[in-house]
Amino acid sequence: MVANREELLQSFRTYVKKMQDYQSALALLGWDARTHMPKRGVEGRASAIGTLSAELFTQKTSDKMASFLEELSLVADSLDQTTRRMYEECKKQYDRQVLIPADRYEAMTVLVSQSESVWQEARKTSNFTLFQPYLQKIVDMKREFIGYWGYEDHPYNALLADFEPGVTVAMLDDVFAGLRAPTVNLLRRIEAAQQPDDTFLSRHYDPEKQRKFSLFILKEMGYDFDAGCLDETAHPFETSIAPGDIRVTTHFFPNFLNAALFGTIHEGGHALYEQNIAADLIGTNLHSGTSMGIHESQSRFWENVIGRSYEFWQRYYGDLKNMFPSELSDVSLDHFYAAINAVKPSLIRIEADELTYNLHIMLRYEIEKGLIAGDLQVKDLPEIWNAKMKDYLGVMPDSDANGVLQDIHWAGGDFGYFPSYSLGNIYAAQITRALEKDIPNYREHVTSGNLSEIRNWLVRHIYQYGSLLTPGEVLQSVTGESANSEYILDYFEKKFVPLYKL
Ligand code: ZN
């Protein structure tokens, strides 16, 4: 029996390792497609990605996997922590996928790929009617899938499980309800105050110099260039090719400094998480961040809590000024700090400031929840969207392209994804509070550019675990609580009241 057990564990691990290798190849093909691939490579690449994805899907749902899961279930209680979590993750994916009839899964894949290209056209021409029938089909099919999976309390819970396991509609309703009114209230007070002049951010900034500065900041954060690189792309992302190959991308706009500056720090935050997962998880399916929300908490922590802090620029503004002496000659540190933290309600989520960002997410969350529950109709979305924008942010989209059509997520079938962005912000504030308890003078470390102290704390408490702990376990072990919007509200007050002299 012991020999059998050892054989079982060994062959399970080998099987999982093989899936990781396929995943690695797919990540590299995907990274290249978005950075260096020539235009005419599209078709061949799509074919290669399709073949490898199909193979990976087969591995996850194979009879072999089924028999691993069955045998492991018999010994689950006596497994070591790593193997037990590997088993749980495989089982989750297996259950998720085998419950969908193969032809329906295939139909969804085809629908999503058509829908993404129709969405691009619809967005370009601001024509919601063009996209509407595709979105309708996606919503219908999501509801059908939820029927196969089953759910507790609310059908949307079945979708949240993909991105933020453990989080439910009841929790989100509660957290967002606590966040919304105080956010809107603070926003109204800010709107009545004097706005900083941020026009200097749109001067001409040589992209090559932006690149140099981005590299410098990544290095300061402790990003390991022997285990990654920085490349340029249209829509920045971080991707993990393999444990020693965690790549970051950014975008340099010649006439806008913020995008590359904070985009790089954001993706760098994702990368620090991935680069610091414990080596003994290599080859398992646990060598990655534990959820979208926890991942986003790290990118937001570095981008906003650290990267948009006064202390950070006390240390690094001199370096930025040296890089752009004439462009920033008339901009003081205080002026710069105020401008990069300007709060202005805007139409586009990805351009939103720290404070209004969560309002964009709440709006999307309510719409998704309504569509999935059958309380809202796809055909009414432009109207609903605009009414909510007016209600939450006080601005009215000038077109559907700048309104309901702005994000690719729904075209891609990614319902349940948006809340993770706000959860990331909320978690980041909670984690910062915990950091402050352990390292009360962490701000002084930022001022002196000693970011390693902070990074090491995150490695110890979060990064090293990868997916060995569930997102709920990570949050509990670091903060002693589940999601709680109190801390981010406190963070906003402490930041924006003095900044806007409210
Ligand atoms: Zn992110």
Side-chain angles (χ1 to χ4, degrees), residues 118-162:
V118 171
W119 167 78
Q120 299 213 344
E121 183 57 27
R123 189 182 181 211
K124 214 187 293 168
T125 53
S126 195
N127 182 356
F128 181 76
T129 322
L130 189 64
F131 182 49
Q132 187 186 317
Y134 289 86
L135 184 56
Q136 184 68 58
K137 274 187 223 157
I138 288 181
V139 170
D140 291 344
M141 214 180 257
K142 282 278 156 189
R143 285 161 53 94
E144 179 190 336
F145 279 23
I146 292 168
Y148 299 129
W149 290 322
Y151 63 88
E152 274 176 38
D153 301 327
H154 195 289
Y156 191 70
N157 285 340
L159 302 180
L160 286 171
D162 268 342

Side-chain angles (χ1 to χ4, degrees), residues 338-384:
I340 58 166
N341 283 294
V343 170
K344 262 182 277 183
S346 63
L347 297 176
I348 307 295
R349 173 184 61 87
I350 57 167
E351 292 166 8
D353 57 76
E354 260 187 281
L355 181 70
T356 59
Y357 189 92
N358 298 312
L359 297 171
H360 288 269
I361 297 301
M362 287 180 218
L363 169 160
R364 285 158 177 76
Y365 165 64
E366 284 164 21
I367 289 178
E368 288 191 349
K369 199 173 63 165
L371 287 173
I372 296 302
D375 302 334
L376 298 182
Q377 300 310 313
V378 169
K379 67 175 171 45
D380 300 328
L381 282 196
E383 213 176 302
I384 295 167

Side-chain angles (χ1 to χ4, degrees), residues 32-52:
D32 177 74
R34 294 168 71 181
T35 51
H36 297 292
M37 186 182 74
K39 235 193 265 176
R40 287 173 56 197
V42 172
E43 223 170 294
R45 184 59 49 88
S47 160
I49 288 177
T51 301
L52 288 187

Side-chain angles (χ1 to χ4, degrees), residues 82-133:
T82 304
T83 313
R84 200 187 66 241
R85 282 287 298 145
M86 287 174 70
Y87 156 72
E88 285 170 2
E89 285 299 308
C90 286
K91 180 162 168 40
K92 198 172 79 186
Q93 289 193 338
Y94 178 86
D95 290 346
R96 194 84 177 161
Q97 288 171 333
V98 295
L99 289 170
I100 308 292
D103 61 323
R104 300 307 288 154
Y105 191 86
E106 178 67 26
M108 183 61 130
T109 312
V110 173
L111 173 61
V112 161
S113 109
Q114 287 171 338
S115 155
E116 282 183 351
S117 63
V118 171
W119 167 78
Q120 299 213 344
E121 183 57 27
R123 189 182 181 211
K124 214 187 293 168
T125 53
S126 195
N127 182 356
F128 181 76
T129 322
L130 189 64
F131 182 49
Q132 187 186 317

Side-chain angles (χ1 to χ4, degrees), residues 102-404:
D103 61 323
R104 300 307 288 154
Y105 191 86
E106 178 67 26
M108 183 61 130
T109 312
V110 173
L111 173 61
V112 161
S113 109
Q114 287 171 338
S115 155
E116 282 183 351
S117 63
V118 171
W119 167 78
Q120 299 213 344
E121 183 57 27
R123 189 182 181 211
K124 214 187 293 168
T125 53
S126 195
N127 182 356
F128 181 76
T129 322
L130 189 64
F131 182 49
Q132 187 186 317
Y134 289 86
L135 184 56
Q136 184 68 58
K137 274 187 223 157
I138 288 181
V139 170
D140 291 344
M141 214 180 257
K142 282 278 156 189
R143 285 161 53 94
E144 179 190 336
F145 279 23
I146 292 168
Y148 299 129
W149 290 322
Y151 63 88
E152 274 176 38
D153 301 327
H154 195 289
Y156 191 70
N157 285 340
L159 302 180
L160 286 171
D162 268 342
F163 303 98
E164 207 57 23
V167 166
T168 61
V169 164
M171 287 165 75
L172 283 177
D173 283 350
D174 190 42
V175 165
F176 285 157
L179 187 56
R180 193 187 150 195
T183 300
V184 171
N185 182 284
L186 181 57
L187 177 61
R188 297 293 169 255
R189 285 156 68 205
I190 289 173
E191 283 179 306
Q194 166 134 30
Q195 275 294 336
D197 170 22
D198 60 359
T199 49
F200 70 86
L201 291 168
S202 309
R203 289 173 180 167
H204 180 81
Y205 294 92
D206 176 8
E208 190 43 36
K209 288 186 180 178
Q210 291 193 46
R211 198 178 72 85
K212 276 192 187 141
F213 195 78
S214 293
L215 291 169
F216 166 66
I217 290 295
L218 281 175
K219 207 162 179 352
E220 288 291 303
M221 289 168 67
Y223 176 79
D224 178 1
F225 281 94
D226 287 334
C229 53
L230 176 69
D231 281 85
E232 203 179 348
T233 185
H235 304 284
F237 61 96
E238 172 274 326
T239 187
S240 305
I241 314 288
D245 189 355
I246 310 295
R247 305 187 187 190
V248 174
T249 65
T250 196
H251 191 79
F252 306 110
F253 293 93
N255 292 99
F256 189 50
L257 186 59
N258 273 18
L261 209 51
F262 295 103
T264 304
I265 301 177
H266 179 100
E267 303 307 334
H270 283 302
L272 284 186
Y273 189 0
E274 296 280 318
Q275 281 189 335
N276 287 288
I277 296 171
D280 55 11
L281 296 177
I282 291 173
T284 74
N285 52 348
L286 307 175
H287 199 282
S288 61
T290 188
S291 72
M292 291 299 311
I294 299 290
H295 233 301
E296 200 63 11
S297 80
Q298 292 316 297
S299 54
R300 299 283 168 162
F301 172 82
W302 285 100
E303 177 192 353
N304 292 330
V305 178
I306 301 296
R308 281 192 166 84
S309 69
Y310 191 75
E311 292 82 2
F312 186 81
W313 292 105
Q314 270 184 308
R315 167 63 189 83
Y316 294 108
Y317 190 53
D319 294 294
L320 187 67
K321 259 186 122 147
N322 285 340
M323 194 62 89
F324 301 105
S326 58
E327 294 84 346
L328 294 172
S329 63
D330 57 344
V331 181
S332 68
L333 167 61
D334 286 24
H335 184 181
F336 180 80
Y337 172 68
I340 58 166
N341 283 294
V343 170
K344 262 182 277 183
S346 63
L347 297 176
I348 307 295
R349 173 184 61 87
I350 57 167
E351 292 166 8
D353 57 76
E354 260 187 281
L355 181 70
T356 59
Y357 189 92
N358 298 312
L359 297 171
H360 288 269
I361 297 301
M362 287 180 218
L363 169 160
R364 285 158 177 76
Y365 165 64
E366 284 164 21
I367 289 178
E368 288 191 349
K369 199 173 63 165
L371 287 173
I372 296 302
D375 302 334
L376 298 182
Q377 300 310 313
V378 169
K379 67 175 171 45
D380 300 328
L381 282 196
E383 213 176 302
I384 295 167
W385 183 282
N386 294 349
K388 282 188 186 287
M389 281 299 287
K390 184 113 195 60
D391 187 17
Y392 289 18
L393 286 131
V395 290
M396 189 67 147
D398 49 1
S399 66
D400 286 338
N402 288 331
V404 67

